[in-house]
Amino acid sequence: MHKVMVVEDDKSMLELLTALLEIEGFQVKTLPRLACLEDIYSEVVRAQPDLVLVDVHLGQSNGFDLLSRIKSDNNSTGFKVLMSSGMEMGKESQLRGADGFILKPYMPDELVLQIKQILGT
């Protein structure tokens, strides 16, 4: 079973994503609350997910900063990162090293398909 960590600051969206991904057979990890970038990063490393679904806009933090932190640290080189935003940021996500980008709003099956493609399942 693949483990997906969802980094999302919208509580309703977080609950919907958690339910969807669990129904699809993923083990889902979330953060009880989003704090500073280093706290978020520490939780991601502790969880050791196969994929991290990261919202670009995270209140106090920036999803791209988290992406950079993940991609630059040897402790997290195995993590795949799928970025998400309501604004088209696919090219920027790719340039910054993300494994994929999905534009909100998206259909549930579109998200699941993209996650499976990134994970190679």
Side-chain angles (χ1 to χ4, degrees), residues 4-121:
V4 175
M5 181 157 215
V6 180
V7 181
E8 169 68 57
D9 63 340
D10 181 305
K11 186 177 179 178
S12 297
M13 185 69 163
L14 184 62
E15 290 172 0
L16 287 171
L17 288 170
T18 299
L20 167 68
L21 294 172
E22 286 176 345
I23 288 169
E24 291 294 329
F26 294 101
Q27 181 183 358
V28 181
K29 297 289 184 182
T30 61
L31 300 169
R33 62 179 180 76
L34 294 179
C36 71
L37 178 67
E38 279 305 310
D39 290 345
I40 296 169
Y41 175 74
S42 294
E43 289 297 320
V44 170
V45 170
R46 186 173 301 124
Q48 292 292 304
D50 299 300
L51 181 137
V52 187
L53 175 60
V54 181
D55 186 16
V56 171
H57 304 288
L58 295 173
Q60 298 175 353
S61 299
N62 180 304
F64 284 131
D65 292 338
L66 179 60
L67 171 63
S68 295
R69 183 78 168 91
I70 289 170
K71 292 299 181 175
S72 69
D73 191 324
N74 290 335
N75 292 323
S76 56
T77 55
F79 306 162
K80 302 291 186 184
V81 180
L82 174 59
M83 300 299 293
S84 171
S85 177
M87 297 174 17
E88 177 49 62
M89 298 186 144
K91 186 169 182 99
E92 185 171 358
S93 295
Q94 182 181 19
L95 289 172
R96 291 180 179 236
D99 298 285
F101 174 82
I102 190 162
L103 181 64
K104 292 179 182 179
Y106 45 78
M107 296 301 293
D109 57 340
E110 181 184 359
L111 174 65
V112 171
L113 177 64
Q114 191 155 354
I115 290 172
K116 288 181 177 180
Q117 286 175 341
I118 290 170
L119 293 174
T121 60

